[in-house]
Amino acid sequence: MITRLPHDWATCTIDTPLGELRLAASPRGLAGAWFTTAQVDAPPDDGRPPSPEHPTLTQARAALTAYFAGQAEPFDLALDLSCGTPFQQAVWEVLRRIPYGATRTYREIATAIGRAQAVRAVGRAIGQNPLSIVIPCHRVLGSDGSLTGYAGGLDRKRALLTLEGIR
């Protein structure tokens, strides 16, 4: 989990239909997308000036605008997942492969990384996802199909799934 942004990262805040989203870009790619009012807090604003014209943030803003307009999978962005452990990164890579409009269970994610018994650890890794929406952790459901935790809140998770045509 990112608790403090490195000095060489650019940030900006954008408005979405589900609330403000704070974006952060490292020199390697998009590294953060957090709802500013969420269960898991974004790293604190350290007073740096926003960089809305940063190329990575401009691309991310365009991709998120397209996503909220109903375009499937506009997230062809360079990402920086280096804030995660190797285990977290493996989980996040599996999440990236969940197709638009589809869901998976925590057990399916655990099985996909070759750790079928690590369902709780997978849940924790999903909860630490630094790239809300871009890495679609909202597409992960409980084994019975129920909505389970989402750092942005269950109302946002439900809204994202509805946007993607998942009832």
Side-chain angles (χ1 to χ4, degrees), residues 9-14 22-26 29-32 50-64 77:
W9 285 20
T11 65
C12 73
T13 302
I14 64 169
R22 184 169 182 210
L23 303 177
S26 78
L30 188 66
S51 306
E53 301 309 315
H54 185 281
T56 298
L57 298 177
T58 299
Q59 286 180 312
R61 185 173 46 252
L64 286 158
L77 304 167

Side-chain angles (χ1 to χ4, degrees), residues 1 28 79-97 109 113 121-122 124-126 128-131 135:
M1 178 156 131
R28 295 171 53 186
L79 302 181
D80 179 355
L81 302 178
S82 63
C83 69
T85 67
F87 179 83
Q88 289 171 326
Q89 290 179 33
V91 170
W92 300 338
E93 286 297 334
V94 170
L95 296 179
R96 290 180 70 189
R97 295 192 302 262
I109 303 300
I113 64 165
V122 163
R124 283 189 298 276
I126 291 171
Q128 298 297 313
N129 172 15
L131 287 160
I135 295 180

Side-chain angles (χ1 to χ4, degrees), residues 103-111 116 119-120 122-123 126 139-149 157:
T103 61
R104 299 292 184 270
T105 65
Y106 292 92
R107 182 162 310 284
E108 288 172 321
I109 303 300
T111 300
V119 176
R120 287 186 183 170
V122 163
I126 291 171
R139 296 179 189 154
V140 182
L141 305 175
S143 59
D144 62 357
S146 63
L147 290 184
T148 55
K157 182 172 186 166

Side-chain angles (χ1 to χ4, degrees), residues 64-81:
L64 286 158
T65 299
Y67 173 81
F68 281 111
Q71 295 178 19
E73 294 307 319
F75 299 115
D76 184 22
L77 304 167
L79 302 181
D80 179 355
L81 302 178

Side-chain angles (χ1 to χ4, degrees), residues 16-39:
T16 77
L18 299 179
E20 279 188 341
L21 201 61
R22 184 169 182 210
L23 303 177
S26 78
R28 295 171 53 186
L30 188 66
W34 306 273
F35 285 105
T36 59
T37 56
Q39 295 168 347

